[in-house]
Amino acid sequence: MSKATRTDAQPSAPHGADSHDLIRVLGARENNLKDVSIEIPKRRLTVFTGVSGSGKSSLVFNTIAAESQRLINETYSAFVQGFMPTLARPEVDVLEGLTTAIIVDQQRMGSDPRSTVGTATDANAMLRILFSRLGKPHIGPPSAYAFNVPSVRASGAITVERGNKKAVKATFNRTGGMCPRCEGRGTVSDIDLAQLYDDTKSLDEGAITIPGYGSDGWNMRLYKESGFVDPGKPIREYTKRELHDFLHHEPVRMKIAGINMTYEGLVPRVQKSMLSKDKEAMQPHIRAFVDRAVAFTTCPECDGTRLSEGARASKIKRISIADACAMQISDLADWVRGLGEPSVAPLLTALQQTLDSFVEIGLGYLALDRPAGTLSGGEAQRVKMIRHLGSSLTDVTYVFDEPTAGLHPHDIQRMNELLLRLRDKGNTVLVVEHKPETIAIADHVVDLGPGAGTAGGSVCFEGTVAGLRTADTVTGRHFDDRASLKKTPRKPTGTLEIRGATANNLRDVDVDIPLGMLVVVTGVAGSGKSSLVHGSIPAGEDVVSVDQSPIRGSRRSNPATYTGLLDPIRKAFAKVNGVKPALFSANSEGACPTCNGAGVIYTDLAMMAGVASPCEDCEGKRYQASVLEYRLGGRDISEVLAMSVDEAEEFFAAGEAATPAARRVLSRLSDVGLGYLTLGQPLTTLSGGERQRLKLATHMADKGGVYVLDEPTTGLHLADVEQLLALLDRLVDSGKSVIVVEHHQAVMAHADWIIDLGPGAGHDGGRLVFEGTPADLVAARSTLTGEHLAAYVGG
C-alpha cells in the first residue's frame, strides 16, 4: 500500500476552533461588581489583585468558576445532581469561552478524625496495595491495611432457588486494618465519672451535673421514673447492680408519663449525644463540660497508629505501614525509591510521583498520618494541588485563591514555578493574589477597585505587569513599596521564658520572648513556628490568641451579631421608639414570619438540588413590615444592617443616632481594615483573613496583655498591610505585647525583635537559628530569612 500523501501543502485559513482564545465576561454584577466587562486570555497566567473587598473573589470564584461548575453539573442526570451543591446562575449578562474549572481554594479539609494527609491524597491507597503485595507475613487484601475498615466475620444461610428450594450455609469474612479498641481514631476517650454526677446526692436532689439534665427536664425524669434505681437514695449507696443499670444499661424501650422513650445507661447516652459530635460546633457551656469530663489519650492497644495488630506486624524491609505513614514524606519518598521491586514497578512509579509532588510543593515535612483537620489553609490548598500536578488534562481553567498564603519568601519561588508549569501545559491559570512576587510572573493582570465594598467592584487596570507598575491605581502605587527597618527598636519590659520546647518537630528549644515589643516569629513553612507559639504559650487569662480557624456560625450570623454590635443598636432603636429591643432581632420577635428571619426561602426539590430564593414578603430584609416602620436617625433596622462599617461609624457619631457603645465596636472593625464589610453580611461569606481580623477586632477590648496573631496579613493588599502595622504599633504602644507568626517581609522589617526558626522544614527544622533585631538579621544574612529580608529592604 502506498503512503497517503497530503495535498494541502499550502497553509490553509485558520481553523474556526482556534479562534476561541478568550474568556469574555460582559456585565458581571455579582455582589459588589458594577457591570464589569473584561476579556481574559486563555492558556495564560492571569492574576487578579486589588484591595480586600474590591470584588476579586466575586469575579473569579462567584462568576467565572461558579458558572463553569454549574454548566458541568447540568450535564449530569437529575439523580446525580441531587447529591451536588446548589449553584445559582451568577448575575452576569454574557459569559463566553469558559472551560472546565478546577477550584483549588483554602477551605480547610474535613475535620473527620479518620481523615489524614494520606487518605486525602491517593498515597495511602497506593501504600495499602504495596503492603498487600509485598508485606511479610501476608495478612490479606489492601483493606487489611486500612484503618477505616473494620474486620467482619459473619455466618448465616442463603436460599438458592433451583427447582426445589434448599438452604446453603454461607460464611462471610472481611479482614480490615482498623484497631478494634479506638476504631481507627488513634485516641480513646475516658469519661471522668465525677464530672457526670455528685455521688453524695440522690437523683431527687439533682445528682446529675451534665448540662441539660435539670431536675424538671425529660432527661432527669427518664432516670427517676425508669424503675431501675431508687431516686431518693444517694448514688454512693447504690448496689453494684443499680450502679451498672444507672451507668451502663443497654438501650430498652419503655413508657415514661405516657410517652415512648428509650432508657440506656448514662455513659453510652452521653457518648451518643455529646461525644460523637464535632466539638467546635457545640454551644460554649457544653464544650466546656466535654473538656472537663472527657480525657483523650493515645490508644494503648495500637499506640496511636489506628491499625490492628496484624497490619502492624506485616512489614517490608523491617518497615510496617504504620512506620511508613509516620515517616516524614521526604524520607518516605527515599525509602520507596530504594525498594526497586519489579513485580510492582508501575505502582512504585505512581507512588513515587505522588510523594515527590509533596516535596516539590514544599510539603515534604508532613507525614501521611497527619490529621487533615490540623493543616493550615495554605497547606490544605497545596495538598489539593498535588492531584493536579501530574494530571494529563490540558485546556482546563485552574482557579487559585492566594496560593502563597502561609509561604515563606523562599517557598514562594517554588509555588510560582508550579503555577507556570500548569500554564505551560496549555491551561488557563487564574490567581487571586496580593504578593508582588507572584503578581510579577503574570502574563496578564486585572486590578479591581478602586476601594472596597461599595467603593470597589470596577476594573481599574487591565494589562501587563509593566503597565501596572506605572498605572495610577492603589496596587500600582504600592507595588514597589518597601517597609524600612526601625532605627530604634523598642526596649523590652520583661521576658516570657520558654524552656525545652519539644512540641511536634521542635528540638528542645530555649528562647526568651521579649514583652512590650512587636515580636515576629518566622521561618520556612514547617519549621516549627506554630508549634513554638501555640504549643508553648498557653492561651490563658493574660494571653489573647487570634488564629485563622473558622468562626462557628450559621447563615444568620453576621459581623453585627458576632461582635456584639447589634445589642447597642437594638437598644438605641428600642429607646427612641418606646418598644422592646427583641423586635429588632431577626432571630427573635421581629423576624419575618414567612422566612423566619433568614431573608431567603429554601425549597427542597427532593432528587434535584434545592433552591434558595429571596423571601417575597420581606424582600430579603428579614424583618416584619411593622418593625421596619420604626426609625432611628431616619433609617430603619434593615437599612442600618445594609450599611458598611465606615458608613455606620459616621451614622452613629452624632444626632439622634449617636450611640457611643456602637461606635467603639465600629472603630475597632475599621482599625483592622474591615471598614468595607456590611454589618449584615453572613459570616459564611468571609475569607480566612477577614475572619481573623474580625476576631482581632472583637478581642481588642479584652484585658489580655499578650496578643498572639497567626499570619494576620493573609488576604491583605499591600496598602492594607500599612494599616495593619499601624494597628499593631498602637497595640504595643498601649502597653500590650504582640507576638506575630508571619512571613510577610513588611511585617518582619517593621518588627522590634525577630525569632527565626529553621534551618529547614520538618526534621530539618525545629531549631532556633536567629534571635535579635531585624537590622542584625539583615547584617548577618546567616539564614534564609535574613537573605530574603536583606534583598527586600535593599540592604
Side-chain angles (χ1 to χ4, degrees), residues 380-691:
Q381 186 179 28
R382 298 203 295 285
V383 165
K384 290 176 198 170
M385 270 184 86
I386 282 168
R387 63 185 51 220
H388 304 302
L389 290 180
S391 168
S392 320
L393 289 172
T394 64
D395 250 335
V396 170
T397 300
Y398 284 100
V399 186
F400 290 96
D401 184 12
E402 283 192 63
T404 60
L407 286 184
H408 188 272
H410 172 69
D411 301 315
I412 290 177
Q413 189 59 46
R414 284 156 95 173
M415 178 56 73
N416 284 351
E417 287 164 10
L418 292 170
L419 293 174
L420 291 172
R421 211 171 85 196
L422 282 174
R423 176 203 68 185
D424 293 345
K425 278 168 64 174
N427 297 307
T428 307
V429 182
L430 309 181
V431 182
V432 172
E433 188 53 86
H434 294 292
K435 294 266 176 72
E437 300 99 310
T438 299
I439 298 173
I441 65 163
D443 301 307
H444 189 73
V445 180
V446 178
D447 188 14
L448 289 153
T454 51
S458 304
V459 174
C460 302
F461 172 82
E462 205 182 337
T464 62
V465 177
L468 176 69
R469 277 195 150 100
T470 56
D472 188 25
T473 69
V474 178
T475 310
R477 289 194 296 273
H478 288 274
F479 194 81
D480 292 308
D481 276 6
R482 295 289 181 266
S484 53
L485 300 172
K486 280 185 179 165
K487 297 269 191 296
T488 51
R490 298 178 180 91
K491 295 280 180 278
T493 56
T495 53
L496 188 67
E497 290 186 3
I498 294 176
R499 294 290 177 266
T502 54
N504 297 330
N505 65 333
L506 294 176
R507 308 280 186 91
D508 212 14
V509 172
D510 296 339
V511 63
D512 291 336
I513 299 180
L515 297 176
M517 300 169 85
L518 174 57
V519 178
V520 168
V521 180
T522 188
V524 294
S527 59
K529 304 178 298 297
S530 297
S531 302
L532 180 70
V533 173
H534 297 300
S536 308
I537 307 172
E541 285 181 11
D542 200 42
V543 177
V544 176
S545 185
V546 185
D547 60 14
Q548 291 190 32
S549 60
I551 292 171
R552 292 288 171 178
S554 67
R555 284 184 293 254
R556 292 169 176 273
S557 308
N558 54 46
T561 57
Y562 182 77
T563 56
L565 170 66
L566 203 55
D567 293 335
I569 292 177
R570 282 201 302 250
K571 284 174 187 162
F573 265 96
K575 190 175 175 186
V576 167
N577 292 289
V579 291
K580 53 185 179 180
L583 274 178
F584 302 100
S585 167
N587 300 328
S588 183
E589 289 183 32
C592 161
T594 310
C595 63
N596 290 327
V600 288
I601 302 283
Y602 293 96
T603 311
D604 184 11
L605 298 177
M607 291 289 237
M608 287 158 63
V611 174
S613 50
C615 172
E616 290 177 6
D617 282 12
C618 67
E619 296 175 346
K621 291 180 178 174
R622 304 173 60 195
Y623 290 91
Q624 295 175 24
S626 57
V627 174
L628 299 181
E629 289 169 13
Y630 298 116
R631 297 186 168 261
L632 173 71
R635 304 283 187 102
D636 65 41
I637 182 73
S638 73
E639 289 171 335
V640 168
L641 289 176
M643 288 180 181
S644 69
V645 168
D646 289 341
E647 285 175 75
E649 195 175 359
E650 212 172 291
F651 176 73
F652 288 110
E656 183 191 38
T659 314
R663 273 207 76 197
R664 279 196 294 275
V665 178
L666 288 162
S667 69
R668 288 201 293 271
L669 285 169
S670 187
D671 282 346
V672 297
L674 294 178
Y676 60 89
L677 281 189
T678 53
L679 305 187
Q681 183 176 340
L683 288 189
T684 48
T685 63
L686 300 188
S687 68
E690 285 170 336
R691 286 186 195 126

Side-chain angles (χ1 to χ4, degrees), residues 118 123-124 126-128 130-131 145 305 307 311-312 314-336 339 351 355 366-370:
N124 212 290
M126 289 191 271
L127 267 182
R128 294 200 297 267
L130 183 68
F131 273 85
Y145 298 90
T305 61
L307 290 158
R312 299 195 309 274
S314 178
K315 298 187 176 182
I316 303 172
K317 291 190 175 177
R318 298 197 298 282
I319 295 286
S320 70
I321 192 166
D323 301 329
C325 289
M327 276 186 199
Q328 189 166 304
I329 289 173
S330 54
D331 295 342
L332 180 60
D334 292 338
W335 179 75
V336 171
L339 288 179
L351 179 57
L355 297 174
L366 294 178
L368 293 181
D369 63 2
R370 167 94 173 255

Side-chain angles (χ1 to χ4, degrees), residues 102-150:
I102 293 176
I103 298 174
V104 189
D105 60 17
Q106 289 188 37
Q107 289 293 325
R108 298 293 177 106
M109 297 173 95
S111 56
D112 186 303
R114 293 197 192 92
S115 178
T116 65
V117 170
T119 60
T121 55
D122 293 331
N124 212 290
M126 289 191 271
L127 267 182
R128 294 200 297 267
I129 299 169
L130 183 68
F131 273 85
S132 73
R133 301 285 189 278
L134 304 180
K136 299 278 190 299
H138 176 74
I139 59 164
S143 64
Y145 298 90
F147 58 75
N148 44 19
V149 178

Side-chain angles (χ1 to χ4, degrees), residues 326-361:
M327 276 186 199
Q328 189 166 304
I329 289 173
S330 54
D331 295 342
L332 180 60
D334 292 338
W335 179 75
V336 171
R337 201 173 279 115
L339 288 179
E341 181 64 44
S343 62
V344 286
L347 175 65
L348 287 175
T349 307
L351 179 57
Q352 189 66 58
Q353 281 174 345
T354 302
L355 297 174
D356 286 343
S357 296
F358 273 101
V359 178
E360 188 181 356
I361 210 162

